[in-house]
Amino acid sequence: MFRNFANAFSFLTIIPLFEVGEFDAKALARSMSAFPLVGLVLGGLLVAAHIVVGVHLPPLLEAVLLVTILWYATGGFHLDGLADTMDGIWSGRGRERALEIMKDSRVGAHGASSMVLLILAKVAAIAVLPGYMKAAALIVAPSLGRGGVVLLAHKSLYARPTEGLASPYTEHLDANTVNTALLISGAISLVAGLGGVLAFLGVMGWALFLRKRFNAKMGGITGDMLGFCEETGEVIALILMVLAA
């Protein structure tokens, strides 16, 4: 599990905590079992920041800082996937053209708008969380977002004819890896009590919906779609925990 965690951490963040070589496709797929643990570490980083600055800053300003820390730690990796996915799917074009748009490094109006709205949703949700639940929610949301990615990749096809970022997951992801990731995600969600359980069910249901939708509409998934699932999953988790609170 340690090697899986090291690979997952190096792949999902820009924090130079581990030295790893080139990512082998099968090893990368196995590392998905540790995706929720990477979210747990990132959540712990947010909690540490909350403890240090939370008593000194108003909730809204603190929420902006926390979202910025999470963005920086991941290098904006998943936000880019969110923007590309929205540009492609909302383009109104056919499957092949939509995939071409998603591969374009330029960000269109739909992508830019989606990033702004998602960041606003994260900031607002964190800001309105009651103090007694904020630390737990900061831990649970990043973990569930990354757990949902595993469920999306499971039993999905790869949408492009050539290998890409998501192809190791669709080709080599096995049931044991998925079950381990879901078990870890579920255990972490208990930190937030009933709100965490509600968030777990909501995020995993969203991932299953996306899997059905993407495979039907786009012929499979891409790395951008995994990023889309992660980012939207975090927001869904935060909103559901706000509602539960």
Side-chain angles (χ1 to χ4, degrees), residues 37-91:
L37 292 178
V38 176
L40 177 65
V41 173
L42 292 172
L45 180 64
L46 298 181
V47 170
H50 166 62
I51 292 173
V52 172
V53 305
V55 295
H56 304 292
L57 296 176
L60 183 59
L61 187 55
E62 182 201 8
V64 172
L65 177 63
L66 294 178
V67 172
T68 302
I69 291 172
L70 186 59
W71 166 80
Y72 181 79
T74 58
F77 184 53
H78 299 111
L79 270 176
D80 181 67
L82 169 85
D84 288 341
T85 300
M86 290 299 292
D87 278 336
I89 289 180
W90 283 85
S91 66

mmCIF file of all heavy atoms in Angstrom, residues 37-91:
data_model
loop_
_atom_site.group_PDB
_atom_site.id
_atom_site.type_symbol
_atom_site.label_atom_id
_atom_site.label_comp_id
_atom_site.label_asym_id
_atom_site.label_seq_id
_atom_site.Cartn_x
_atom_site.Cartn_y
_atom_site.Cartn_z
ATOM 1 N N LEU A 37 -6.593 8.267 0.159
ATOM 2 C CA LEU A 37 -5.588 8.594 1.178
ATOM 3 C C LEU A 37 -4.845 9.877 0.813
ATOM 4 O O LEU A 37 -4.475 10.662 1.690
ATOM 5 C CB LEU A 37 -4.599 7.436 1.338
ATOM 6 C CG LEU A 37 -5.153 6.154 1.952
ATOM 7 C CD1 LEU A 37 -4.076 5.075 1.992
ATOM 8 C CD2 LEU A 37 -5.689 6.421 3.355
ATOM 9 N N VAL A 38 -4.619 10.082 -0.475
ATOM 10 C CA VAL A 38 -4.018 11.345 -0.911
ATOM 11 C C VAL A 38 -4.951 12.497 -0.554
ATOM 12 O O VAL A 38 -4.521 13.547 -0.062
ATOM 13 C CB VAL A 38 -3.734 11.330 -2.424
ATOM 14 C CG1 VAL A 38 -3.210 12.689 -2.880
ATOM 15 C CG2 VAL A 38 -2.734 10.239 -2.772
ATOM 16 N N GLY A 39 -6.252 12.291 -0.785
ATOM 17 C CA GLY A 39 -7.229 13.294 -0.385
ATOM 18 C C GLY A 39 -7.207 13.541 1.115
ATOM 19 O O GLY A 39 -7.366 14.682 1.572
ATOM 20 N N LEU A 40 -6.987 12.475 1.887
ATOM 21 C CA LEU A 40 -6.907 12.607 3.346
ATOM 22 C C LEU A 40 -5.730 13.491 3.749
ATOM 23 O O LEU A 40 -5.856 14.346 4.630
ATOM 24 C CB LEU A 40 -6.771 11.221 3.973
ATOM 25 C CG LEU A 40 -6.598 11.163 5.488
ATOM 26 C CD1 LEU A 40 -7.843 11.695 6.185
ATOM 27 C CD2 LEU A 40 -6.309 9.728 5.936
ATOM 28 N N VAL A 41 -4.588 13.297 3.104
ATOM 29 C CA VAL A 41 -3.408 14.114 3.407
ATOM 30 C C VAL A 41 -3.653 15.571 3.023
ATOM 31 O O VAL A 41 -3.324 16.497 3.783
ATOM 32 C CB VAL A 41 -2.170 13.564 2.675
ATOM 33 C CG1 VAL A 41 -0.982 14.501 2.854
ATOM 34 C CG2 VAL A 41 -1.818 12.175 3.192
ATOM 35 N N LEU A 42 -4.232 15.780 1.851
ATOM 36 C CA LEU A 42 -4.545 17.148 1.427
ATOM 37 C C LEU A 42 -5.546 17.792 2.394
ATOM 38 O O LEU A 42 -5.427 18.978 2.732
ATOM 39 C CB LEU A 42 -5.113 17.146 0.010
ATOM 40 C CG LEU A 42 -4.132 16.754 -1.098
ATOM 41 C CD1 LEU A 42 -4.864 16.599 -2.431
ATOM 42 C CD2 LEU A 42 -3.020 17.788 -1.237
ATOM 43 N N GLY A 43 -6.530 17.000 2.836
ATOM 44 C CA GLY A 43 -7.479 17.506 3.814
ATOM 45 C C GLY A 43 -6.794 17.860 5.123
ATOM 46 O O GLY A 43 -7.130 18.869 5.763
ATOM 47 N N GLY A 44 -5.831 17.035 5.526
ATOM 48 C CA GLY A 44 -5.076 17.340 6.736
ATOM 49 C C GLY A 44 -4.308 18.646 6.611
ATOM 50 O O GLY A 44 -4.197 19.414 7.576
ATOM 51 N N LEU A 45 -3.787 18.905 5.416
ATOM 52 C CA LEU A 45 -3.095 20.169 5.161
ATOM 53 C C LEU A 45 -4.058 21.347 5.322
ATOM 54 O O LEU A 45 -3.711 22.386 5.903
ATOM 55 C CB LEU A 45 -2.504 20.149 3.749
ATOM 56 C CG LEU A 45 -1.746 21.387 3.279
ATOM 57 C CD1 LEU A 45 -0.508 21.603 4.135
ATOM 58 C CD2 LEU A 45 -1.348 21.239 1.811
ATOM 59 N N LEU A 46 -5.276 21.191 4.820
ATOM 60 C CA LEU A 46 -6.281 22.242 4.955
ATOM 61 C C LEU A 46 -6.681 22.453 6.414
ATOM 62 O O LEU A 46 -6.870 23.592 6.855
ATOM 63 C CB LEU A 46 -7.519 21.895 4.125
ATOM 64 C CG LEU A 46 -7.325 21.779 2.615
ATOM 65 C CD1 LEU A 46 -8.656 21.454 1.938
ATOM 66 C CD2 LEU A 46 -6.725 23.047 2.035
ATOM 67 N N VAL A 47 -6.802 21.368 7.157
ATOM 68 C CA VAL A 47 -7.156 21.478 8.575
ATOM 69 C C VAL A 47 -6.056 22.209 9.345
ATOM 70 O O VAL A 47 -6.340 23.047 10.211
ATOM 71 C CB VAL A 47 -7.411 20.082 9.175
ATOM 72 C CG1 VAL A 47 -7.541 20.172 10.694
ATOM 73 C CG2 VAL A 47 -8.671 19.473 8.582
ATOM 74 N N ALA A 48 -4.798 21.891 9.018
ATOM 75 C CA ALA A 48 -3.682 22.579 9.678
ATOM 76 C C ALA A 48 -3.745 24.080 9.413
ATOM 77 O O ALA A 48 -3.553 24.902 10.326
ATOM 78 C CB ALA A 48 -2.351 22.000 9.189
ATOM 79 N N ALA A 49 -4.033 24.438 8.151
ATOM 80 C CA ALA A 49 -4.161 25.863 7.814
ATOM 81 C C ALA A 49 -5.350 26.484 8.537
ATOM 82 O O ALA A 49 -5.273 27.634 9.007
ATOM 83 C CB ALA A 49 -4.312 26.026 6.299
ATOM 84 N N HIS A 50 -6.435 25.733 8.646
ATOM 85 C CA HIS A 50 -7.629 26.222 9.346
ATOM 86 C C HIS A 50 -7.322 26.495 10.814
ATOM 87 O O HIS A 50 -7.750 27.521 11.377
ATOM 88 C CB HIS A 50 -8.743 25.185 9.211
ATOM 89 C CG HIS A 50 -9.898 25.400 10.137
ATOM 90 N ND1 HIS A 50 -10.692 26.524 10.093
ATOM 91 C CD2 HIS A 50 -10.390 24.619 11.148
ATOM 92 C CE1 HIS A 50 -11.630 26.437 11.032
ATOM 93 N NE2 HIS A 50 -11.460 25.303 11.677
ATOM 94 N N ILE A 51 -6.567 25.609 11.435
ATOM 95 C CA ILE A 51 -6.225 25.791 12.847
ATOM 96 C C ILE A 51 -5.353 27.022 13.043
ATOM 97 O O ILE A 51 -5.521 27.776 14.012
ATOM 98 C CB ILE A 51 -5.511 24.525 13.372
ATOM 99 C CG1 ILE A 51 -6.492 23.346 13.407
ATOM 100 C CG2 ILE A 51 -4.919 24.769 14.760
ATOM 101 C CD1 ILE A 51 -5.848 22.019 13.737
ATOM 102 N N VAL A 52 -4.439 27.243 12.108
ATOM 103 C CA VAL A 52 -3.494 28.360 12.240
ATOM 104 C C VAL A 52 -4.154 29.709 11.965
ATOM 105 O O VAL A 52 -3.955 30.677 12.711
ATOM 106 C CB VAL A 52 -2.286 28.155 11.298
ATOM 107 C CG1 VAL A 52 -1.397 29.388 11.287
ATOM 108 C CG2 VAL A 52 -1.489 26.926 11.719
ATOM 109 N N VAL A 53 -4.950 29.781 10.897
ATOM 110 C CA VAL A 53 -5.465 31.099 10.475
ATOM 111 C C VAL A 53 -6.948 31.291 10.753
ATOM 112 O O VAL A 53 -7.453 32.414 10.653
ATOM 113 C CB VAL A 53 -5.199 31.332 8.969
ATOM 114 C CG1 VAL A 53 -3.736 31.176 8.646
ATOM 115 C CG2 VAL A 53 -6.048 30.390 8.108
ATOM 116 N N GLY A 54 -7.646 30.204 11.077
ATOM 117 C CA GLY A 54 -9.095 30.301 11.224
ATOM 118 C C GLY A 54 -9.545 31.280 12.288
ATOM 119 O O GLY A 54 -10.597 31.917 12.158
ATOM 120 N N VAL A 55 -8.755 31.412 13.350
ATOM 121 C CA VAL A 55 -9.150 32.317 14.435
ATOM 122 C C VAL A 55 -8.793 33.763 14.119
ATOM 123 O O VAL A 55 -9.203 34.676 14.847
ATOM 124 C CB VAL A 55 -8.466 31.887 15.756
ATOM 125 C CG1 VAL A 55 -8.965 30.514 16.187
ATOM 126 C CG2 VAL A 55 -6.949 31.872 15.610
ATOM 127 N N HIS A 56 -8.021 33.975 13.072
ATOM 128 C CA HIS A 56 -7.564 35.327 12.748
ATOM 129 C C HIS A 56 -8.278 35.939 11.544
ATOM 130 O O HIS A 56 -8.235 37.158 11.358
ATOM 131 C CB HIS A 56 -6.059 35.322 12.463
ATOM 132 C CG HIS A 56 -5.235 34.761 13.581
ATOM 133 N ND1 HIS A 56 -5.105 35.398 14.801
ATOM 134 C CD2 HIS A 56 -4.499 33.622 13.666
ATOM 135 C CE1 HIS A 56 -4.321 34.678 15.591
ATOM 136 N NE2 HIS A 56 -3.938 33.611 14.927
ATOM 137 N N LEU A 57 -8.917 35.112 10.725
ATOM 138 C CA LEU A 57 -9.534 35.605 9.502
ATOM 139 C C LEU A 57 -11.045 35.387 9.537
ATOM 140 O O LEU A 57 -11.521 34.400 10.120
ATOM 141 C CB LEU A 57 -8.960 34.874 8.284
ATOM 142 C CG LEU A 57 -7.465 35.061 7.989
ATOM 143 C CD1 LEU A 57 -7.058 34.192 6.801
ATOM 144 C CD2 LEU A 57 -7.149 36.517 7.710
ATOM 145 N N PRO A 58 -11.812 36.248 8.893
ATOM 146 C CA PRO A 58 -13.257 36.000 8.745
ATOM 147 C C PRO A 58 -13.471 34.763 7.874
ATOM 148 O O PRO A 58 -12.602 34.422 7.051
ATOM 149 C CB PRO A 58 -13.772 37.262 8.071
ATOM 150 C CG PRO A 58 -12.581 37.884 7.427
ATOM 151 C CD PRO A 58 -11.404 37.534 8.285
ATOM 152 N N PRO A 59 -14.606 34.077 8.025
ATOM 153 C CA PRO A 59 -14.825 32.806 7.320
ATOM 154 C C PRO A 59 -14.652 32.881 5.809
ATOM 155 O O PRO A 59 -14.090 31.965 5.202
ATOM 156 C CB PRO A 59 -16.265 32.438 7.695
ATOM 157 C CG PRO A 59 -16.478 33.102 9.014
ATOM 158 C CD PRO A 59 -15.709 34.389 8.948
ATOM 159 N N LEU A 60 -15.120 33.945 5.194
ATOM 160 C CA LEU A 60 -15.033 34.039 3.736
ATOM 161 C C LEU A 60 -13.584 34.139 3.274
ATOM 162 O O LEU A 60 -13.179 33.462 2.329
ATOM 163 C CB LEU A 60 -15.829 35.245 3.234
ATOM 164 C CG LEU A 60 -15.897 35.422 1.711
ATOM 165 C CD1 LEU A 60 -16.516 34.197 1.048
ATOM 166 C CD2 LEU A 60 -16.680 36.679 1.347
ATOM 167 N N LEU A 61 -12.805 34.955 3.932
ATOM 168 C CA LEU A 61 -11.404 35.110 3.544
ATOM 169 C C LEU A 61 -10.619 33.830 3.827
ATOM 170 O O LEU A 61 -9.754 33.432 3.037
ATOM 171 C CB LEU A 61 -10.782 36.284 4.301
ATOM 172 C CG LEU A 61 -9.358 36.684 3.887
ATOM 173 C CD1 LEU A 61 -9.294 36.980 2.398
ATOM 174 C CD2 LEU A 61 -8.899 37.888 4.704
ATOM 175 N N GLU A 62 -10.942 33.174 4.928
ATOM 176 C CA GLU A 62 -10.286 31.902 5.226
ATOM 177 C C GLU A 62 -10.619 30.868 4.147
ATOM 178 O O GLU A 62 -9.745 30.109 3.706
ATOM 179 C CB GLU A 62 -10.736 31.368 6.586
ATOM 180 C CG GLU A 62 -10.037 30.062 6.951
ATOM 181 C CD GLU A 62 -10.771 29.251 7.999
ATOM 182 O OE1 GLU A 62 -11.909 29.616 8.349
ATOM 183 O OE2 GLU A 62 -10.212 28.235 8.441
ATOM 184 N N ALA A 63 -11.862 30.827 3.710
ATOM 185 C CA ALA A 63 -12.275 29.864 2.686
ATOM 186 C C ALA A 63 -11.509 30.093 1.389
ATOM 187 O O ALA A 63 -11.090 29.134 0.728
ATOM 188 C CB ALA A 63 -13.778 29.967 2.444
ATOM 189 N N VAL A 64 -11.307 31.348 1.012
ATOM 190 C CA VAL A 64 -10.527 31.655 -0.188
ATOM 191 C C VAL A 64 -9.106 31.126 -0.039
ATOM 192 O O VAL A 64 -8.544 30.528 -0.967
ATOM 193 C CB VAL A 64 -10.508 33.171 -0.450
ATOM 194 C CG1 VAL A 64 -9.543 33.508 -1.586
ATOM 195 C CG2 VAL A 64 -11.904 33.674 -0.790
ATOM 196 N N LEU A 65 -8.519 31.318 1.135
ATOM 197 C CA LEU A 65 -7.159 30.838 1.377
ATOM 198 C C LEU A 65 -7.089 29.319 1.299
ATOM 199 O O LEU A 65 -6.169 28.759 0.691
ATOM 200 C CB LEU A 65 -6.686 31.314 2.749
ATOM 201 C CG LEU A 65 -5.295 30.826 3.183
ATOM 202 C CD1 LEU A 65 -4.221 31.348 2.228
ATOM 203 C CD2 LEU A 65 -5.000 31.253 4.618
ATOM 204 N N LEU A 66 -8.051 28.626 1.878
ATOM 205 C CA LEU A 66 -8.046 27.168 1.882
ATOM 206 C C LEU A 66 -8.195 26.614 0.466
ATOM 207 O O LEU A 66 -7.501 25.654 0.091
ATOM 208 C CB LEU A 66 -9.166 26.643 2.784
ATOM 209 C CG LEU A 66 -9.025 26.951 4.275
ATOM 210 C CD1 LEU A 66 -10.231 26.423 5.040
ATOM 211 C CD2 LEU A 66 -7.737 26.351 4.839
ATOM 212 N N VAL A 67 -9.083 27.186 -0.320
ATOM 213 C CA VAL A 67 -9.257 26.743 -1.707
ATOM 214 C C VAL A 67 -7.985 27.006 -2.510
ATOM 215 O O VAL A 67 -7.588 26.196 -3.357
ATOM 216 C CB VAL A 67 -10.472 27.432 -2.347
ATOM 217 C CG1 VAL A 67 -10.547 27.133 -3.842
ATOM 218 C CG2 VAL A 67 -11.762 26.975 -1.661
ATOM 219 N N THR A 68 -7.317 28.112 -2.221
ATOM 220 C CA THR A 68 -6.062 28.426 -2.905
ATOM 221 C C THR A 68 -4.980 27.416 -2.558
ATOM 222 O O THR A 68 -4.218 26.973 -3.428
ATOM 223 C CB THR A 68 -5.583 29.839 -2.525
ATOM 224 O OG1 THR A 68 -6.592 30.792 -2.871
ATOM 225 C CG2 THR A 68 -4.299 30.193 -3.246
ATOM 226 N N ILE A 69 -4.908 27.028 -1.299
ATOM 227 C CA ILE A 69 -3.921 26.027 -0.873
ATOM 228 C C ILE A 69 -4.164 24.708 -1.587
ATOM 229 O O ILE A 69 -3.219 24.062 -2.078
ATOM 230 C CB ILE A 69 -3.978 25.839 0.659
ATOM 231 C CG1 ILE A 69 -3.448 27.086 1.367
ATOM 232 C CG2 ILE A 69 -3.182 24.601 1.081
ATOM 233 C CD1 ILE A 69 -3.634 27.064 2.870
ATOM 234 N N LEU A 70 -5.417 24.289 -1.671
ATOM 235 C CA LEU A 70 -5.737 23.035 -2.345
ATOM 236 C C LEU A 70 -5.402 23.112 -3.823
ATOM 237 O O LEU A 70 -4.866 22.154 -4.407
ATOM 238 C CB LEU A 70 -7.220 22.706 -2.149
ATOM 239 C CG LEU A 70 -7.696 21.349 -2.684
ATOM 240 C CD1 LEU A 70 -6.929 20.213 -2.032
ATOM 241 C CD2 LEU A 70 -9.187 21.182 -2.458
ATOM 242 N N TRP A 71 -5.703 24.242 -4.443
ATOM 243 C CA TRP A 71 -5.368 24.431 -5.856
ATOM 244 C C TRP A 71 -3.867 24.360 -6.070
ATOM 245 O O TRP A 71 -3.384 23.703 -6.986
ATOM 246 C CB TRP A 71 -5.907 25.781 -6.330
ATOM 247 C CG TRP A 71 -5.323 26.212 -7.642
ATOM 248 C CD1 TRP A 71 -5.686 25.796 -8.882
ATOM 249 C CD2 TRP A 71 -4.237 27.132 -7.830
ATOM 250 N NE1 TRP A 71 -4.892 26.400 -9.845
ATOM 251 C CE2 TRP A 71 -4.002 27.217 -9.226
ATOM 252 C CE3 TRP A 71 -3.445 27.885 -6.960
ATOM 253 C CZ2 TRP A 71 -3.000 28.035 -9.754
ATOM 254 C CZ3 TRP A 71 -2.458 28.693 -7.486
ATOM 255 C CH2 TRP A 71 -2.247 28.765 -8.874
ATOM 256 N N TYR A 72 -3.116 25.024 -5.203
ATOM 257 C CA TYR A 72 -1.659 25.056 -5.372
ATOM 258 C C TYR A 72 -1.052 23.671 -5.164
ATOM 259 O O TYR A 72 -0.162 23.253 -5.916
ATOM 260 C CB TYR A 72 -1.037 26.047 -4.387
ATOM 261 C CG TYR A 72 0.465 26.137 -4.522
ATOM 262 C CD1 TYR A 72 1.048 26.881 -5.549
ATOM 263 C CD2 TYR A 72 1.305 25.458 -3.640
ATOM 264 C CE1 TYR A 72 2.420 26.955 -5.687
ATOM 265 C CE2 TYR A 72 2.679 25.517 -3.774
ATOM 266 C CZ TYR A 72 3.233 26.268 -4.798
ATOM 267 O OH TYR A 72 4.596 26.328 -4.931
ATOM 268 N N ALA A 73 -1.525 22.947 -4.152
ATOM 269 C CA ALA A 73 -0.954 21.633 -3.837
ATOM 270 C C ALA A 73 -1.155 20.633 -4.969
ATOM 271 O O ALA A 73 -0.348 19.713 -5.154
ATOM 272 C CB ALA A 73 -1.573 21.094 -2.545
ATOM 273 N N THR A 74 -2.214 20.809 -5.733
ATOM 274 C CA THR A 74 -2.494 19.889 -6.839
ATOM 275 C C THR A 74 -2.062 20.447 -8.187
ATOM 276 O O THR A 74 -2.248 19.797 -9.222
ATOM 277 C CB THR A 74 -3.995 19.559 -6.895
ATOM 278 O OG1 THR A 74 -4.738 20.774 -7.053
ATOM 279 C CG2 THR A 74 -4.440 18.866 -5.605
ATOM 280 N N GLY A 75 -1.528 21.652 -8.201
ATOM 281 C CA GLY A 75 -1.091 22.257 -9.452
ATOM 282 C C GLY A 75 -2.227 22.595 -10.397
ATOM 283 O O GLY A 75 -2.002 22.750 -11.603
ATOM 284 N N GLY A 76 -3.435 22.734 -9.867
ATOM 285 C CA GLY A 76 -4.580 23.035 -10.727
ATOM 286 C C GLY A 76 -4.885 21.928 -11.714
ATOM 287 O O GLY A 76 -5.602 22.128 -12.703
ATOM 288 N N PHE A 77 -4.366 20.735 -11.439
ATOM 289 C CA PHE A 77 -4.447 19.591 -12.351
ATOM 290 C C PHE A 77 -5.882 19.233 -12.700
ATOM 291 O O PHE A 77 -6.238 19.072 -13.870
ATOM 292 C CB PHE A 77 -3.727 18.429 -11.675
ATOM 293 C CG PHE A 77 -3.617 17.187 -12.484
ATOM 294 C CD1 PHE A 77 -3.093 17.219 -13.765
ATOM 295 C CD2 PHE A 77 -3.996 15.953 -11.964
ATOM 296 C CE1 PHE A 77 -2.967 16.060 -14.516
ATOM 297 C CE2 PHE A 77 -3.872 14.800 -12.704
ATOM 298 C CZ PHE A 77 -3.358 14.854 -13.976
ATOM 299 N N HIS A 78 -6.725 19.141 -11.682
ATOM 300 C CA HIS A 78 -8.106 18.719 -11.913
ATOM 301 C C HIS A 78 -8.982 19.848 -12.442
ATOM 302 O O HIS A 78 -9.932 19.610 -13.186
ATOM 303 C CB HIS A 78 -8.696 18.146 -10.619
ATOM 304 C CG HIS A 78 -7.954 16.950 -10.110
ATOM 305 N ND1 HIS A 78 -7.201 16.970 -8.953
ATOM 306 C CD2 HIS A 78 -7.817 15.711 -10.625
ATOM 307 C CE1 HIS A 78 -6.644 15.792 -8.776
ATOM 308 N NE2 HIS A 78 -7.001 15.006 -9.765
ATOM 309 N N LEU A 79 -8.660 21.068 -12.064
ATOM 310 C CA LEU A 79 -9.415 22.205 -12.603
ATOM 311 C C LEU A 79 -9.264 22.300 -14.113
ATOM 312 O O LEU A 79 -10.210 22.647 -14.826
ATOM 313 C CB LEU A 79 -8.942 23.510 -11.950
ATOM 314 C CG LEU A 79 -9.649 23.954 -10.674
ATOM 315 C CD1 LEU A 79 -8.981 25.206 -10.120
ATOM 316 C CD2 LEU A 79 -11.128 24.183 -10.918
ATOM 317 N N ASP A 80 -8.079 21.996 -14.590
ATOM 318 C CA ASP A 80 -7.850 21.996 -16.032
ATOM 319 C C ASP A 80 -8.740 20.952 -16.711
ATOM 320 O O ASP A 80 -9.309 21.193 -17.774
ATOM 321 C CB ASP A 80 -6.379 21.709 -16.321
ATOM 322 C CG ASP A 80 -6.066 21.716 -17.805
ATOM 323 O OD1 ASP A 80 -6.151 22.777 -18.423
ATOM 324 O OD2 ASP A 80 -5.743 20.629 -18.344
ATOM 325 N N GLY A 81 -8.865 19.780 -16.075
ATOM 326 C CA GLY A 81 -9.739 18.743 -16.618
ATOM 327 C C GLY A 81 -11.191 19.157 -16.610
ATOM 328 O O GLY A 81 -11.944 18.872 -17.549
ATOM 329 N N LEU A 82 -11.606 19.853 -15.559
ATOM 330 C CA LEU A 82 -12.975 20.373 -15.494
ATOM 331 C C LEU A 82 -13.247 21.306 -16.664
ATOM 332 O O LEU A 82 -14.266 21.182 -17.361
ATOM 333 C CB LEU A 82 -13.167 21.121 -14.174
ATOM 334 C CG LEU A 82 -14.449 21.937 -14.060
ATOM 335 C CD1 LEU A 82 -15.598 21.068 -13.584
ATOM 336 C CD2 LEU A 82 -14.279 23.134 -13.136
ATOM 337 N N ALA A 83 -12.324 22.247 -16.896
ATOM 338 C CA ALA A 83 -12.514 23.232 -17.957
ATOM 339 C C ALA A 83 -12.548 22.571 -19.332
ATOM 340 O O ALA A 83 -13.418 22.876 -20.164
ATOM 341 C CB ALA A 83 -11.396 24.277 -17.901
ATOM 342 N N ASP A 84 -11.616 21.661 -19.586
ATOM 343 C CA ASP A 84 -11.567 20.988 -20.886
ATOM 344 C C ASP A 84 -12.827 20.160 -21.130
ATOM 345 O O ASP A 84 -13.359 20.128 -22.246
ATOM 346 C CB ASP A 84 -10.328 20.100 -20.972
ATOM 347 C CG ASP A 84 -9.045 20.894 -21.104
ATOM 348 O OD1 ASP A 84 -9.121 22.074 -21.484
ATOM 349 O OD2 ASP A 84 -7.964 20.337 -20.827
ATOM 350 N N THR A 85 -13.289 19.474 -20.094
ATOM 351 C CA THR A 85 -14.498 18.654 -20.241
ATOM 352 C C THR A 85 -15.707 19.523 -20.560
ATOM 353 O O THR A 85 -16.513 19.189 -21.441
ATOM 354 C CB THR A 85 -14.759 17.844 -18.958
ATOM 355 O OG1 THR A 85 -13.636 16.999 -18.707
ATOM 356 C CG2 THR A 85 -16.002 16.984 -19.105
ATOM 357 N N MET A 86 -15.843 20.619 -19.862
ATOM 358 C CA MET A 86 -16.982 21.508 -20.101
ATOM 359 C C MET A 86 -16.913 22.116 -21.494
ATOM 360 O O MET A 86 -17.942 22.231 -22.174
ATOM 361 C CB MET A 86 -17.017 22.600 -19.038
ATOM 362 C CG MET A 86 -17.395 22.102 -17.656
ATOM 363 S SD MET A 86 -19.043 21.353 -17.594
ATOM 364 C CE MET A 86 -20.074 22.795 -17.879
ATOM 365 N N ASP A 87 -15.726 22.508 -21.932
ATOM 366 C CA ASP A 87 -15.591 23.052 -23.291
ATOM 367 C C ASP A 87 -16.011 22.026 -24.336
ATOM 368 O O ASP A 87 -16.691 22.355 -25.313
ATOM 369 C CB ASP A 87 -14.137 23.475 -23.547
ATOM 370 C CG ASP A 87 -13.831 24.852 -22.989
ATOM 371 O OD1 ASP A 87 -14.773 25.649 -22.821
ATOM 372 O OD2 ASP A 87 -12.648 25.136 -22.723
ATOM 373 N N GLY A 88 -15.616 20.778 -24.137
ATOM 374 C CA GLY A 88 -15.934 19.744 -25.118
ATOM 375 C C GLY A 88 -17.394 19.343 -25.107
ATOM 376 O O GLY A 88 -18.061 19.320 -26.154
ATOM 377 N N ILE A 89 -17.918 19.061 -23.946
ATOM 378 C CA ILE A 89 -19.288 18.546 -23.849
ATOM 379 C C ILE A 89 -20.320 19.620 -24.193
ATOM 380 O O ILE A 89 -21.347 19.339 -24.809
ATOM 381 C CB ILE A 89 -19.533 17.978 -22.439
ATOM 382 C CG1 ILE A 89 -18.741 16.676 -22.273
ATOM 383 C CG2 ILE A 89 -21.015 17.732 -22.188
ATOM 384 C CD1 ILE A 89 -18.894 16.021 -20.938
ATOM 385 N N TRP A 90 -20.030 20.866 -23.804
ATOM 386 C CA TRP A 90 -20.982 21.945 -24.060
ATOM 387 C C TRP A 90 -20.771 22.610 -25.416
ATOM 388 O O TRP A 90 -21.400 23.628 -25.713
ATOM 389 C CB TRP A 90 -20.904 22.986 -22.945
ATOM 390 C CG TRP A 90 -21.593 22.551 -21.703
ATOM 391 C CD1 TRP A 90 -21.076 21.781 -20.711
ATOM 392 C CD2 TRP A 90 -22.933 22.834 -21.317
ATOM 393 N NE1 TRP A 90 -22.003 21.566 -19.718
ATOM 394 C CE2 TRP A 90 -23.149 22.208 -20.072
ATOM 395 C CE3 TRP A 90 -23.969 23.568 -21.890
ATOM 396 C CZ2 TRP A 90 -24.373 22.291 -19.396
ATOM 397 C CZ3 TRP A 90 -25.183 23.647 -21.225
ATOM 398 C CH2 TRP A 90 -25.382 23.022 -19.990
ATOM 399 N N SER A 91 -19.886 22.050 -26.206
ATOM 400 C CA SER A 91 -19.630 22.644 -27.522
ATOM 401 C C SER A 91 -20.777 22.409 -28.495
ATOM 402 O O SER A 91 -20.893 23.090 -29.510
ATOM 403 C CB SER A 91 -18.341 22.056 -28.113
ATOM 404 O OG SER A 91 -18.495 20.670 -28.398
#
